[in-house]
Amino acid sequence: MPIPPAALLRRLESTRLDYGSGRAAEKLRLLARLDRARLRTAQQVLRLHEHLAFMRAYPDDRAVLARVERMLRRFVRRGDLRRYRGALADSGIAGTAIRYAFFWPTARWLATRWPARLSIDWTNFDAPERLASALPLLVTPVEAIWLRLGDTTPRRALDRLRGKRTPDGTFYVRRVAAMPGDDFTRESYFDALDVPLVLQPGDDTPSRTHARHASSPVVFRTRPPERARPDLARELARPPRAVRRVPPREARELIDLGRAAMATRARDLDAFAYGSARDVRVVDDGDGLAWAIIGVVPERRPVLRSVYGIVTLRNGVPIGYLDIHVLFGCADLAYNTFASFRGAEAAHVLARLLAALRHLFAATSFTLAPYQLGRDNEEAIDSGAWWFYYKLGFRPRAAAIRAIARAELARMTANPRHRSSPRTLARLAEDYLYFETAGARAPHWPSLDTLGERVAARLAARAGADRESAVRECVRAAMRLLEAGRVRGAGERTTWSRWAPIVAALPGITRWSAFDRRALARVIAAKAGPSEDEYLARFDAHPRLDGALRRLTGS
C-alpha cells in the first residue's frame, strides 16, 4: 500500500540527526516522494519546510543539498502551501504574509525596499483611535483641519490621503519619515503608536525559505552535530579559524540577512536595524560554522558599552542570533537558537562563540541577564534555559538563588527524574548568571543604571530645564580638562556631548595625571570611530577609567 504523506514526513523527521553510510540515499528517496506529495494540514507543510531548512544547514552530501535547495526554490508553488497560505501567515515561508508591529527602523527598511507590499494590519489593530489623533501631524494644515473636524475613520482617511499607488502602510511610514526633528524623535513617535503592519509576499521579500549567505562555504556532514556538553575553559583557549572584515556590499547583505531573520520571526533587534556596513566581520570556526558580527552606527551606540548583533550561520543558513554588550572585558549575552535548529548542537555553538568573543574583544568573563534566563520570558522557562547555562559552568552570585539551586540539585540527586517547576525556574531567573575565567571578575551590570541618575542630578544643578546649555558647558569643561584636540565630524561631536556629563561626575578625575586625562580624550574620540574595536582596546588599556566608573556606578 502507498505510504501516506504524513507518514513519509515522520520518517524524514526521524532521520534528522542520522548521518553516515546509506543515510543520504534514504533521505533522497523520502525527499523525492515528499516533493510530489500533497500534505493535508498547514502544520505538516510547516514541518516539511522547517526540516528542509535544517537539512540545508546540515547537508549530508552534494546530492542531498541540491534536492533540498530545489525543493525550497519551488516551495512557493506547492499546492498544499497555496491551500493553507492564510493559516501559514507569520511562518516565514516564501509566499506567505508577515504580520507584526515592526519598530521604526525595520518599518522604514520595509517601506523603502518593498513599498508596494507594506500595509496596515487593520484586523489586528486594537486601538486605531491612537492613529486618528496622530494623523493631523503628518499632513498639510488644511488636510489636518479636515481630519480633526470631518467624520471619518483612520482607515478611510488614509485611503483618501494615500492615493491609488501607495499602500497605507508605506504612506504612513513615509509621512513619519518626513516629520521635522531627528530620527530619535521620529522613532519615538512611531513606536508609541504601535501600528501593526503586514508585509505581503513577493518574489524577494524576507523569508526563511531563501535565507542564506551566498558567500559561505558548504561543509557536508558524515556524522551528527556535536551534542556533548563542552568544557568551556578548554574551548576558550582555542581561537576560531579565521576572522575577516567584509566589504560594504557583503556587509549590507549580512545586515539584511539579520534583519530578515528577525522580521520572519516577528522580532526586532536594534543591532541589526542600525547595523553599520563599515563594521561587519565574519568569524569562521571551521566545519561550516560561522558568525556575522555586526557593529552599530555611531549615533546609535550606547554611551559606555559596545553593542553587536550576531547571526549564527551553518553553511550560510541563519540558525540563531545574539545581542551582546561588551565593556570591562566582559560580554553580556542574549543567545538564541531558532526553534527549527534546536536539539542539534546549541551548547557546542555557544562554547565556540565564547571563544570567538574572547579572541575578538579580549573578553575574560561572560554574563546572562535575567530575561535571557526566564524572567518575563516564557520561552526560556519552557526550555529550562537556566539549567542549560548552569550545566555549562555559569553560576549565580545572589545567595538566595544559590540556595535554590543547591536544593534543586539535591532533589535531582535523590530523584534523577526531578525537573524544576516553572515557578522555581522563575525564581532562579531573578538575577544574572556569570562565567569568569581565572582571575577575572565580571561587573555587576545593573549598577550601571545608577549612572543616569547621578548625571541627571549634576545637569539639574547646572541648568535645570535647559539641558542643552548644561551639556555645552560640560563639553567645554571636559575638553579643557582632558586637553582634547579638535572635534572631527558630527559623530565625534555627539559622542563628546554624551560623555562630557560622565567626565564631570568621575570621582577624582581632576587629580589624574595629564597622560591619563589625554588618554581618556582618546577613548571618547574612539567611541565615534568606524568600529568600536579601538574604543574597547583604549578603554581596557586606560589605567584609571575602569576603576573610576565602577566607583561612580557602585559596581
Side-chain angles (χ1 to χ4, degrees):
M1 293 180 63
I3 301 174
L8 292 172
L9 178 59
R10 287 193 297 271
R11 285 191 185 182
L12 181 65
E13 290 172 324
S14 72
T15 69
R16 187 171 188 261
L17 298 178
D18 285 351
Y19 293 87
S21 178
R23 305 311 296 153
E26 172 65 11
K27 292 177 185 180
L28 281 170
R29 285 192 292 271
L30 291 167
L31 288 170
R33 297 181 69 174
L34 284 165
D35 197 10
R36 298 187 299 269
R38 290 296 172 263
L39 298 167
R40 295 188 176 182
T41 69
Q43 186 61 27
Q44 290 173 4
V45 176
L46 177 61
R47 284 165 50 200
L48 174 61
H49 180 274
E50 296 305 282
H51 192 80
L52 290 173
F54 182 90
M55 294 182 73
R56 176 193 261 170
Y58 298 90
D60 300 65
D61 57 25
R62 197 174 304 279
V64 169
L65 179 62
R67 167 65 78 169
V68 165
E69 292 196 325
R70 184 163 63 250
M71 289 178 69
L72 285 171
R73 281 195 305 271
R74 302 189 311 196
F75 209 89
V76 71
R77 300 201 296 270
R78 289 183 64 96
D80 44 18
L81 175 65
R82 291 195 296 269
R83 180 178 181 183
Y84 300 113
R85 192 187 307 274
L88 290 168
D90 304 326
S91 66
I93 298 177
T96 64
I98 300 171
R99 302 176 184 274
Y100 187 54
F102 298 104
F103 295 153
W104 168 242
T106 302
R108 185 178 52 188
W109 173 61
L110 296 173
T112 301
R113 290 283 297 274
W114 299 280
R117 301 285 177 180
L118 191 65
S119 303
I120 293 176
D121 186 8
W122 296 103
T123 58
N124 290 308
F125 201 168
D126 295 330
E129 64 276 3
R130 292 199 304 264
L131 184 57
S133 62
L135 279 179
L137 300 176
L138 304 179
V139 295
T140 63
V142 68
E143 290 173 308
I145 293 173
W146 161 60
L147 290 172
R148 291 191 181 100
L149 301 180
D151 183 16
T152 186
T153 66
R155 187 170 189 174
R156 287 199 299 268
L158 275 172
D159 283 344
R160 180 63 63 89
L161 290 166
R162 66 184 176 87
K164 295 182 179 180
R165 298 182 179 179
T166 307
D168 51 14
T170 297
F171 175 86
Y172 167 58
V173 173
R174 286 179 174 175
R175 291 313 306 158
V176 173
M179 289 178 66
D182 60 18
D183 204 49
F184 291 92
T185 305
R186 289 185 279 271
E187 179 179 16
S188 178
Y189 175 93
F190 184 90
D191 291 350
L193 291 176
D194 199 31
V195 176
L197 299 169
V198 55
L199 182 69
Q200 298 295 344
D203 291 340
D204 63 343
T205 50
S207 75
R208 303 184 202 178
T209 310
H210 306 305
R212 186 178 182 275
H213 179 227
S215 300
S216 292
V218 175
V219 177
F220 299 114
R221 305 202 67 83
T222 58
R223 53 188 173 84
E226 182 58 64
R227 302 183 70 191
R229 188 178 301 155
D231 181 329
L232 288 190
R234 184 181 304 164
E235 294 295 337
L236 286 172
R238 182 167 63 92
R241 188 171 74 173
V243 179
R244 67 181 179 93
R245 196 169 287 278
V246 303
R249 180 174 179 178
E250 185 182 357
R252 286 189 288 270
E253 291 173 355
L254 286 166
I255 292 169
D256 283 352
L257 188 67
R259 284 172 154 175
M262 295 293 98
T264 55
R265 292 169 173 86
R267 303 183 187 191
D268 249 317
L269 191 69
D270 281 354
F272 296 152
Y274 293 113
S276 171
R278 301 173 68 191
D279 188 16
V280 177
R281 284 163 287 189
V282 171
V283 177
D284 181 2
D285 201 55
D287 195 34
L289 178 62
W291 296 275
I293 314 288
I294 299 171
V296 174
V297 293
E299 60 270 22
R300 290 288 176 166
R301 293 169 183 167
V303 179
L304 293 182
R305 303 187 200 184
S306 296
V307 63
Y308 295 86
I310 302 178
V311 185
T312 303
L313 301 169
R314 255 295 175 197
N315 290 318
V317 177
I319 66 168
Y321 74 97
L322 295 97
D323 183 37
I324 69 164
H325 291 243
V326 187
L327 197 66
F328 299 132
C330 179
D332 186 49
L333 313 172
Y335 175 63
N336 189 287
T337 299
F338 296 138
S340 303
F341 304 97
R342 292 175 189 164
E345 55 172 356
H348 169 73
V349 170
L350 176 61
R352 296 308 305 145
L353 172 74
L354 298 189
L357 297 182
R358 180 162 193 179
H359 176 75
L360 287 175
F361 305 119
T364 57
S365 58
F366 305 90
T367 62
L368 294 158
Y371 177 82
Q372 175 76 9
L373 303 169
R375 187 165 73 184
D376 301 322
N377 182 348
E378 290 186 10
E379 183 180 3
I381 294 293
D382 292 341
S383 66
W386 197 92
W387 286 111
F388 170 79
Y389 294 111
Y390 185 91
K391 291 174 182 178
L392 287 175
F394 284 81
R395 292 293 181 266
R397 283 186 187 164
I401 293 177
R402 292 202 304 269
I404 297 170
R406 284 195 300 269
E408 285 296 286
L409 288 169
R411 292 187 183 97
M412 292 174 186
T413 301
N415 177 12
R417 301 180 64 182
H418 174 76
R419 295 294 180 267
S420 299
S421 68
R423 183 173 178 270
T424 298
L425 290 170
R427 292 169 63 200
L428 289 168
E430 281 301 311
D431 201 4
Y432 278 68
L433 284 180
Y434 300 82
F435 184 88
E436 296 157 331
T437 59
R441 181 67 172 171
H444 184 45
W445 289 115
S447 62
L448 290 175
D449 297 343
T450 63
L451 179 62
E453 182 179 0
R454 297 186 180 185
V455 167
R458 287 180 172 268
L459 292 177
R462 283 177 180 265
D466 190 359
R467 281 299 194 270
E468 291 74 19
S469 66
V471 170
R472 286 193 296 270
E473 182 183 338
C474 282
V475 170
R476 287 192 293 267
M479 294 188 74
R480 284 195 303 269
L481 177 65
L482 304 184
E483 302 179 25
R486 183 170 57 89
V487 174
R488 296 174 178 84
E492 196 170 315
R493 190 160 42 249
T494 298
T495 301
W496 272 100
S497 71
R498 295 172 179 175
W499 261 84
I502 300 171
V503 172
L506 285 176
I509 190 171
T510 56
R511 297 190 298 274
W512 289 10
S513 69
F515 175 85
D516 290 345
R517 285 184 273 117
R518 287 194 294 267
L520 177 53
R522 289 190 287 272
V523 171
I524 295 170
K527 184 68 173 175
S531 167
E532 293 204 69
D533 288 6
E534 182 183 353
Y535 164 75
L536 288 171
R538 289 187 178 279
F539 187 105
D540 288 342
H542 196 285
R544 307 189 69 167
L545 179 56
D546 182 318
L549 277 171
R550 287 179 186 267
R551 289 194 299 276
L552 177 62
T553 60
S555 62

